[in-house]
Amino acid sequence: MIGKLFGAPRRASTPALSAGQKQLTEALALALALAPAPAPAPAPRNPQGSMQGKPQPDPLAAAKIGGREVFHRLYAAMRNERGVHVESMLCVLGALAGYACQAEVRAIARAKNLPDDAVFQIVSTAGGQRYYFGDLLNQPLLNAQPSLWGMVAAAATQAGATSLPDPHELFRHVAASAGGDAFGLPRVPLRHKAGDTPHGYLKQLWPVLFPLVRNLCPDPALWPVVFGVAIGRTIETAQGAIAPALAFTIVMEAAVPMSKVDLDAA
């Protein structure tokens, strides 16, 4: 698949939002509206998990189906005559994946009849912004099995990355920059910038894509996994168009800060 979807190195198409953020949102919404609903698929079997000779269902089956749907629909919506700007697609998916971690934690709180934000450590700035932190949020981001960080790292390593950033440095940077101009801006070379900021993508595209994810995958614990699957597919198919370590950086530099934002106040 090298270069077939995303073009040769240094020849990626212009950012998908170069003509304005609204165009991508409208294109994606149209792609979602016109695409047929995914047909139910039997759960893949896990022969290694069989008991008494009977194969067991794959617990991530729904997330894998959802991840493939997200990948294909987002790719179709972002494609232009030159292909897809891979940095923009990675940034979109990273932003959505990060916020999916927060959405999962909020769903856990609601299931316990708690206010949505009761399980977070909330940081308020002098400018009135609110950011969400806490151990529960770090679970889907970094510590769960699978975690978003682990899934993206595995995809990048399989694509050839030999060295990846330190997660703790990124988490410290996000915490230190909350409320400042540098918050949520991926630290990547200028020529690899996406067409919009992670927050811009998140604000416009979460309301469009999340209903699809929730429909395909009702379990909140699998929402970040859905996007992790889509990210892995993107990194796999973009080999030759972008270095896998850089792809990892773009994704996680979008995901970690977007897991903290107050989207309702955006």
Side-chain angles (χ1 to χ4, degrees), residues 149-162:
W149 188 284
M151 292 184 70
V152 181
T157 300
Q158 188 170 0
T162 58

Side-chain angles (χ1 to χ4, degrees), residues 193-219:
K193 294 286 187 182
D196 196 8
T197 64
H199 188 271
Y201 285 132
L202 176 64
K203 182 178 178 180
Q204 294 294 325
L205 298 183
W206 178 260
V208 179
L209 266 177
F210 179 59
L212 169 71
V213 172
R214 183 174 51 196
N215 181 57
L216 288 170
C217 209
D219 183 357

Side-chain angles (χ1 to χ4, degrees), residues 23-119:
Q23 283 189 336
L24 175 58
T25 306
E26 291 177 347
L28 181 53
L30 181 61
L32 290 170
L34 295 180
R45 297 296 182 176
N46 180 8
Q48 292 183 349
S50 61
M51 295 179 62
Q52 299 179 348
K54 295 181 180 180
Q56 299 299 302
D58 181 355
L60 302 182
K64 292 174 181 177
I65 294 170
R68 289 193 295 268
E69 283 293 322
V70 168
F71 171 83
H72 287 299
R73 295 184 186 211
L74 186 60
Y75 176 84
M78 297 185 73
R79 188 177 184 181
N80 60 26
E81 67 279 1
R82 297 182 62 193
V84 171
H85 187 252
V86 62
E87 290 91 343
S88 294
M89 186 161 174
L90 290 166
C91 187
V92 168
L93 286 169
L96 295 170
Y99 192 77
C101 295
Q102 185 186 137
E104 174 192 339
V105 176
R106 288 180 176 276
I108 292 172
R110 290 194 297 271
K112 296 179 178 179
N113 294 318
L114 296 172
D116 276 17
D117 57 3
V119 295

Side-chain angles (χ1 to χ4, degrees), residues 10 85 87 188-194 246:
R10 306 294 297 274
H85 187 252
E87 290 91 343
V188 298
L190 182 61
R191 67 181 182 277
H192 291 292
K193 294 286 187 182
L246 177 58

